[in-house]
Amino acid sequence: MANPKKNDYFNGNKGKLWINGEEVVTVGKSKVVRKIKYEEHPAPTGDGIVRVKVGQTIEFSGTFKFLGTESLDAFNESDDISLIVATTNISGNVTKRLKLDGVTFDEEVLVDFEKNKVTEIELSGQAETFEWLQEK
């Protein structure tokens, strides 16, 4: 691999988030993590432990500046919530887009303020599935 240029890196400035098809224009931070779940069993020989994969969780968190006009009804359990998270490198020639389906959120901030600061709302939760829509 050739030496990377400064513009080849991802820095988050071009990150985007869509919730049920609506772009959250004030998103400041977003993160999706896949965590593998394991069962541990004694190794058949020796004193070690064997880890066996039994599943996974897909965890999401995102923060956006609150305008008060967002039509986010993330806690309407009758809706199937999907998210798309996208990030592009500085030069704009590599984009990664990930779709999350079956999203449930863990908490809902109803009111949060701090004097002389723009209100930010954080959402966190889990998804049933994920799918790469674009990896390059």
Side-chain angles (χ1 to χ4, degrees), residues 6-19:
K6 180 180 176 184
N7 288 349
D8 291 336
Y9 293 102
F10 288 76
N11 70 355
N13 287 343
K14 296 183 181 181
K16 295 185 177 194
L17 170 67
W18 291 264
I19 300 177

Side-chain angles (χ1 to χ4, degrees), residues 52-84:
V52 179
K53 181 180 173 182
V54 295
Q56 67 183 10
T57 59
I58 299 118
E59 299 179 1
F60 163 82
S61 64
T63 304
F64 63 94
K65 290 180 173 55
F66 185 62
L67 298 173
T69 59
E70 295 85 356
S71 60
L72 176 61
D73 191 7
F75 293 89
N76 183 346
E77 294 179 14
S78 65
D79 288 344
D80 185 25
I81 298 172
S82 66
L83 307 178
I84 295 178

Side-chain angles (χ1 to χ4, degrees), residues 98-116:
L98 183 66
K99 182 178 182 184
L100 306 176
D101 281 317
V103 175
T104 55
F105 294 104
D106 297 328
E107 69 179 16
E108 178 179 21
V109 176
L110 300 174
V111 175
D112 182 16
F113 69 88
E114 185 176 338
K115 293 204 183 260
N116 302 318

